[in-house]
Amino acid sequence: DGGITQSPKYLFRKEGQNVTLSCEQNLNHDAMYWYRQDPGQGLRLIYYSQIVNDFQKGDIAEGYSVSREKKESFPLTVTSAQKNPTAFYLCASRGDRRNTGELFFGEGSRLTVL
Amino acid sequence: GENVEQHPSTLSVQEGDSAVIKCTYSDSASNYFPWYKQELGKGPQLIIDIRSNVGEKKDQRIAVTLNKTAKHFSLHITETQPEDSAVYFCAASRNNQGGKLIFGQGTELSVKP
């Protein structure tokens, strides 16, 4: 089945450690996105990529990094510079960057910093 | 910057009643308005969307209305059922912005049997 796969589903990290969240899609979508979800704050955009080898900062990019070396993959690294990394992270993709079509989400990765 | 405000943050209704969730947006160039439903521990799923050239759209028990002049849009769920209980998000986007969506804060809907 076509879709978006995020891994791991749950992740625990000690303070000061970097961690990378995986996002893979087989929908042949050009555009991919990372959102962070905190209780009562909706979904906030971290980074997005409209095409391979290109990405832009969203509203809360500080302390995060991404890469887009392949169309199918858009991993997110939560660095030690992110002051409050405990959250639910959602990856999404969309058919193209022209504001058409549905945004599809993965099942999310829950990161807890101990 | 662009902003989407959503109200109420929580909503409790009796089974069979209607539920209405409202959103306002700040960017007058926004032209696509989807609604997502998120069940516990899962990613959001699209339930209905509307474009700015349409004032209303309906899909069975779900409808969305759009008022471009006032820059607000609403989700209407009729004959609510317990399985409608979830968190609902509105969002808005515009052209030439990489397809990114700006989301509201979410509404936790509880349908009591």
Side-chain angles (χ1 to χ4, degrees):
Chain A
D1 283 359
I4 299 176
T5 302
Q6 288 187 241
S7 62
K9 193 170 178 64
Y10 299 97
L11 187 60
F12 297 89
R13 181 194 104 176
K14 292 182 180 179
E15 281 192 25
Q17 288 181 333
N18 291 359
V19 62
T20 297
L21 307 180
S22 170
C23 178
E24 302 279 331
Q25 55 99 357
N26 60 4
L27 300 167
N28 199 32
H29 284 173
D30 284 325
M32 296 186 73
Y33 309 83
W34 275 105
Y35 285 90
R36 170 179 169 141
Q37 184 172 19
D38 297 283
Q41 294 195 50
L43 306 175
R44 293 182 291 166
L45 184 64
I46 304 172
Y47 266 99
Y48 64 106
S49 169
Q50 301 177 63
I51 201 166
V52 174
N53 292 323
D54 185 51
F55 49 84
Q56 288 80 37
K57 292 181 179 180
D59 299 318
I60 55 165
E62 185 174 352
Y64 299 97
S65 66
V66 294
S67 63
R68 187 85 187 277
E69 297 176 1
K70 298 187 299 182
K71 187 175 185 177
E72 304 79 20
S73 179
F74 191 41
L76 173 74
T77 296
V78 185
T79 75
S80 56
Q82 168 49 234
K83 295 190 185 337
N84 185 19
T86 294
F88 190 52
Y89 291 89
L90 286 160
C91 179
S93 72
R94 202 171 184 187
D96 59 57
R97 58 188 187 271
R98 294 177 297 164
N99 195 30
T100 61
E102 177 180 350
L103 186 72
F104 289 88
F105 283 90
E107 293 286 276
S109 293
R110 185 168 297 281
L111 172 64
T112 302
V113 174
L114 304 172
Chain B
E2 303 112 342
N3 188 46
V4 176
E5 294 286 335
Q6 181 172 347
H7 299 281
S9 57
T10 60
L11 179 60
S12 181
V13 299
Q14 286 296 131
E15 183 177 0
D17 287 350
S18 295
V20 180
I21 303 171
K22 299 182 179 182
C23 289
T24 58
Y25 59 97
S26 60
D27 186 354
S28 56
S30 295
N31 58 2
Y32 175 66
F33 308 93
W35 285 88
Y36 283 81
K37 176 182 180 182
Q38 185 179 30
E39 297 179 346
L40 195 62
K42 296 193 172 184
Q45 286 195 307
L46 180 72
I47 55 171
I48 195 167
D49 57 11
I50 192 169
R51 295 197 175 271
S52 57
N53 58 348
V54 175
E56 184 173 357
K57 184 176 178 180
K58 190 172 182 179
D59 183 3
Q60 298 182 359
R61 297 186 296 109
I62 294 173
V64 58
T65 58
L66 171 65
N67 183 328
K68 286 189 295 182
T69 303
K71 291 192 286 187
H72 67 70
F73 56 112
S74 301
L75 177 71
H76 304 254
I77 305 174
T78 59
E79 301 171 23
T80 53
Q81 301 166 5
E83 50 265 39
D84 293 329
S85 296
V87 178
Y88 291 80
F89 290 98
C90 62
S93 66
R94 57 178 289 183
N95 296 341
N96 303 318
Q97 291 267 297
K100 64 177 183 177
L101 294 180
I102 307 299
F103 283 85
Q105 296 84 351
T107 296
E108 184 174 0
L109 173 64
S110 176
V111 180
K112 299 188 185 306

